[in-house]
Amino acid sequence: MSLMTSKTKWPEGLSDPSGRRQSKPRTEGRTMIIDKGIGVQAFEDMLETSGEYIDIIKFGFGTSPLYPLKVLRRKIELANRHGITVIPGGTLLEVAVRLDLIPGFFRQVLELGYSGIEVSDGTISISRTTRSDLIRDAKSLGLTVFTEYGKKLFGSRIDIGDFAETAEQDWACGADLVTVEARESGKGVGLFDEQGECRDGELSRILSAVPNLDRVVWEAPLKEQQVYLIRSLGPNVHLGNIPVQDVLTLETMRRGLRSDTFELQQVPCYDYMI
């Protein structure tokens, strides 16, 4: 018997053995990637290959003003066309706060077609009043707001009580998701120790203190961190700072299509003989 058909299609269960992944637009298991400056062709190739599995693209740090405008507009246009929320890095907004250039920042964000922003204070200190005002102002302009908690300085830890309070206030002001800082290295900041391993006790305390974990993004740039969080919090945990080349890899782990998370499969396993 020939196994060839006129319409080539993988058996339904093979695409998502976990049986849990949503199609876009997702409310669960969102993936935020960090683009540190790839070119338009590489960006387009990435979206063609794995755009279905990307929910948010962050143009990292303060890279946005350094692009040729034609290139930046094209990348933003491509992301929007794929139903992806695209934002400049939170560091750029911190620079705008420090230089008192907030109106110009928002004006350019809207003019370029960004669909959201990130409000953070990882490098400078921003008062609660200013943080709240930035969130509300962005929402009033029709932008999706992601906030970030934690400092970028190596060795910085999470103050659980402060994080819980900050997150609740951010959500009350209109933030969509609150991100736990880990930088692009994933080492020595926030949830992760100097070797990039998760501080189990810290995660447990956060789980007890913050009830709305479905509105928290965990920056986890390293594969072992992604595996740990998927195993601990499930395949629909929100993950951020994912390198552009790792989108498909992460999605296989979410679905139980890689040995690291094989146990996530929820379908019976049958012996099959041709």
Side-chain angles (χ1 to χ4, degrees):
M1 179 181 68
S2 173
L3 295 179
M4 299 296 292
T5 65
S6 59
K7 184 180 291 186
T8 303
K9 185 179 180 181
W10 291 106
E12 187 175 347
L14 287 183
S15 63
D16 183 14
S18 77
R20 304 181 198 178
R21 294 294 284 150
Q22 295 178 336
S23 298
K24 290 168 68 172
R26 276 179 285 271
T27 57
E28 300 178 343
R30 284 186 269 186
T31 294
M32 176 192 286
I33 72 164
I34 181 169
D35 175 354
K36 295 190 283 187
I38 63 173
V40 172
Q41 189 61 61
F43 193 81
E44 193 164 6
D45 289 345
M46 174 191 69
L47 294 179
E48 182 179 359
T49 303
S50 51
E52 175 59 30
Y53 314 116
I54 301 170
D55 302 282
I56 306 149
I57 295 177
K58 175 169 65 176
F59 292 164
F61 335 117
T63 54
S64 293
L66 303 185
Y67 282 99
L69 278 178
K70 180 179 178 181
V71 173
L72 184 58
R73 289 183 194 278
R74 178 60 176 160
K75 292 179 74 170
I76 293 172
E77 176 191 359
L78 287 168
N80 287 332
R81 189 183 300 172
H82 281 78
I84 297 168
T85 303
V86 57
I87 64 176
T91 302
L92 184 61
L93 180 54
E94 292 185 51
V95 174
V97 170
R98 185 170 179 267
L99 298 179
D100 196 20
L101 294 172
I102 293 300
F105 168 85
F106 277 125
R107 185 168 55 250
Q108 189 71 345
V109 162
L110 294 172
E111 198 276 331
L112 288 168
Y114 280 108
S115 48
I117 66 162
E118 181 179 65
V119 176
S120 68
D121 59 359
T123 305
I124 66 172
S125 294
I126 296 178
S127 71
R128 180 66 250 181
T129 298
T130 299
R131 186 178 177 102
S132 297
D133 287 344
L134 289 169
I135 297 170
R136 293 193 186 100
D137 289 347
K139 291 294 290 184
S140 72
L141 295 170
L143 296 166
T144 301
V145 180
F146 306 94
T147 62
E148 188 172 67
Y149 179 86
K151 295 298 182 182
K152 298 182 183 297
L153 185 66
F154 187 84
S156 299
R157 302 287 293 268
I158 299 172
D159 181 318
I160 308 299
D162 185 57
F163 170 60
E165 182 178 354
T166 299
E168 289 293 343
Q169 291 178 326
D170 286 354
W171 292 324
C173 290
D176 186 48
L177 296 172
V178 177
T179 302
V180 179
E181 174 71 70
R183 302 209 69 179
E184 74 278 7
S185 68
K187 295 183 179 181
V189 173
L191 191 62
F192 305 112
D193 65 17
E194 291 73 12
Q195 286 72 48
E197 296 182 3
C198 184
R199 297 184 172 105
D200 293 324
E202 210 138 302
L203 179 59
S204 297
R205 289 192 293 275
I206 292 174
L207 298 181
S208 298
V210 182
N212 295 323
L213 285 177
D214 58 335
R215 301 185 68 183
V216 173
V217 179
W218 307 87
E219 288 189 348
L222 305 180
K223 175 207 163 190
E224 293 76 13
Q225 297 167 351
Q226 297 158 20
V227 171
Y228 181 90
L229 289 168
I230 289 171
R231 284 179 169 172
S232 300
L233 303 177
N236 285 321
V237 58
H238 302 308
L239 297 175
N241 268 17
I242 306 302
V244 295
Q245 70 273 15
D246 291 345
V247 177
L248 279 178
T249 300
L250 171 57
E251 193 63 30
T252 63
M253 293 191 292
R254 288 188 184 277
R255 297 175 182 231
L257 286 167
R258 185 166 175 159
S259 61
D260 306 85
T261 57
F262 207 71
E263 71 277 7
L264 294 176
Q265 297 182 17
Q266 294 188 338
V267 295
C269 183
Y270 299 103
D271 291 330
Y272 183 78
M273 297 186 65
I274 298 176

